[in-house]
Amino acid sequence: MKFKEIIITKANETFKRLANKAVNYAEGLLGSGTGAAKKELAIDFLLSKLPIYLKPMIPFFKQTLIKLADCLIEKAVQKLHQYQPKNEAQAA
């Protein structure tokens, strides 16, 4: 396995584990109606949670890591939107 593939694989594992947490963090901090800012905050959150041994690699793989994080954040947002209407209906 090539070095770049190892970095991407490890980042993917970390991002998958933390994507929902990143979305909830951004949602709680910025609230609704700030989609682009929330996505950027969630991506920054994910990058900050990479294992320490991967952090020096961020500048070299930043665009790839951002694309990966963006994809996983979109999936987490879709999952959040699926559950929000159900939770709001139950609270009413």
Side-chain angles (χ1 to χ4, degrees), residues 1-9 53-54 57 61:
M1 186 180 273
K2 293 181 180 178
F3 184 69
K4 183 177 180 179
E5 292 171 359
I6 293 169
I7 300 297
I8 301 303
T9 301
Y53 63 90
L54 292 180
M57 302 299 131
F61 301 107

Side-chain angles (χ1 to χ4, degrees), residues 6 15 22 25 34 37 45 50-51 53 55-58 61-62 65 67 71 74-75 79 81-82 85 91-92:
I6 293 169
F15 289 173
Y25 170 76
T34 57
F45 178 89
L50 282 173
Y53 63 90
K55 288 189 181 197
M57 302 299 131
I58 290 174
F61 301 107
K62 190 165 188 166
L65 294 172
K67 287 177 187 176
C71 178
E74 284 299 323
K75 288 179 184 178
K79 192 181 293 186
H81 287 288
Q82 285 178 336

Side-chain angles (χ1 to χ4, degrees), residues 27-81:
E27 181 73 30
L29 197 62
L30 298 178
S32 62
T34 57
K38 283 191 291 193
K39 183 182 278 189
E40 188 173 328
L41 183 62
I43 288 171
D44 288 343
F45 178 89
L46 287 178
L47 290 175
S48 75
K49 299 299 180 184
L50 282 173
I52 192 120
Y53 63 90
L54 292 180
K55 288 189 181 197
M57 302 299 131
I58 290 174
F60 302 106
F61 301 107
K62 190 165 188 166
Q63 290 308 314
T64 303
L65 294 172
I66 288 172
K67 287 177 187 176
L68 177 63
D70 186 46
C71 178
L72 292 170
I73 286 169
E74 284 299 323
K75 288 179 184 178
V77 168
Q78 289 172 357
K79 192 181 293 186
L80 177 70
H81 287 288

